[in-house]
Amino acid sequence: MWALTTFGPIGHYAPLLFWVRALQVVLLLFVAPFLLASARPVAWLCALSTPVRRVVDRVLSSRVMRVALSPLTTSAAMLATPWLLYLTPWYVASMTGPLAAVTRVLLVLVGFGYYYTRMQVDPVPRRFSPLLSIGISVVESLADGLLGIVLWLGPLIAVDYYAALQRDWGPSLRTDQSIGAGILWILGDVLSIPFMVALMRQLGTDERRKAKRADAELDEATADGPSTLWWENDPVLRDRFSR
């Protein structure tokens, strides 16, 4: 996906058309990192050898990684990156030159940290309830839609840059930016559906794990303690029926 986005037609037209650049950003920030995180690369590294696993465990248990890979940090980075890219000089600077390649890699890294922390299919510094991840996703969908509205109804982005291209084909600057805003907003929400499905499956697995743990504790308590009827645990019913 990264190669297709970088070297294919998308990579060729991204510096020329706003909507193609928006499509490139969505694929690099959402799709490629999601596929990478789903492949469980950290678990694959740990399976290489015992020394590698020890290094990975040591790195993940460090205070720096516990903060950098927390849900709050990765979600904030995921939300802030598109805003900073489109509403600062970074947008024009990332079109061509060395910063363009750095930006493409950075988008994948930000997205991977986000999905890696939230999906928790790999070893992570700290695990948390999937309900927290689902709640964060609901808030994030609102923020993504807000950026789309700003780009759709707001002033044109990088007017001087696109005017200097002297492009006499394709949509106008306003139409081009409106299409790009729709891609960031609508396509971003559509691509979040597989992520939400994965979170719901994880929530179901977590609930079943908790139920099994509770059943095991109950069985252990029953085996260690005297056998009683259910109503004997209620003081009112015990006094009434024990007469």
Side-chain angles (χ1 to χ4, degrees):
M1 179 59 65
W2 186 87
L4 175 65
T5 306
T6 303
F7 302 109
I10 296 177
H12 176 74
Y13 287 101
L16 305 178
L17 293 169
F18 187 96
W19 75 267
V20 180
R21 175 62 170 167
L23 178 61
Q24 184 185 55
V25 170
V26 169
L27 295 178
L28 290 176
L29 192 60
F30 291 95
V31 180
F34 177 75
L35 297 176
L36 180 60
S38 300
R40 304 181 63 188
V42 178
W44 178 79
L45 285 176
C46 294
L48 292 178
S49 64
T50 301
V52 173
R53 184 177 68 252
R54 291 175 180 173
V55 171
V56 173
D57 291 341
R58 190 179 304 114
V59 171
L60 293 180
S61 61
S62 64
R63 180 176 299 179
V64 175
M65 297 304 293
R66 290 172 70 90
V67 174
L69 295 178
S70 65
L72 179 61
T73 303
T74 56
S75 297
M78 191 71 163
L79 285 174
T81 297
W83 287 85
L84 293 175
L85 177 62
Y86 281 98
L87 302 182
T88 66
W90 181 16
Y91 182 77
V92 175
S94 65
M95 289 294 189
T96 58
L99 190 57
V102 174
T103 300
R104 289 193 293 266
V105 174
L106 179 62
L107 291 176
V108 175
L109 290 178
V110 171
F112 172 74
Y114 173 83
Y115 289 114
Y116 162 76
T117 305
R118 300 282 298 280
M119 294 173 64
Q120 302 183 93
V121 295
D122 256 334
V124 292
R126 179 182 298 173
R127 294 194 174 275
F128 56 92
S129 173
L131 281 175
L132 176 61
S133 188
I134 295 175
I136 293 175
S137 298
V138 173
V139 177
E140 289 170 341
S141 63
L142 300 177
D144 294 338
L146 181 60
L147 177 60
I149 294 176
V150 170
L151 294 177
W152 176 33
L153 302 177
L156 293 176
I157 304 298
V159 176
D160 295 337
Y161 169 82
Y162 285 112
L165 297 176
Q166 297 181 352
R167 176 172 54 84
D168 57 357
W169 51 271
S172 64
L173 295 182
R174 171 53 66 182
T175 302
D176 189 16
Q177 183 165 316
S178 298
I179 297 174
I183 290 175
L184 289 171
W185 184 1
I186 300 175
L187 184 59
D189 287 342
V190 171
L191 292 176
S192 66
I193 294 177
F195 176 53
M196 291 298 296
V197 171
L199 291 181
M200 295 301 295
R201 292 182 59 185
Q202 185 184 23
L203 178 62
T205 301
D206 186 67
E207 292 298 325
R208 288 191 293 270
R209 187 185 303 112
K210 290 180 180 179
K212 290 181 179 180
R213 187 183 305 116
D215 290 342
E217 293 175 354
L218 181 61
D219 293 341
E220 182 179 357
T222 303
D224 295 338
S227 178
T228 59
L229 298 176
W230 66 269
W231 52 267
E232 293 181 357
N233 294 321
D234 187 290
V236 177
L237 297 178
R238 182 176 63 248
D239 295 339
R240 177 181 302 175
F241 292 106
S242 61
R243 297 173 182 175

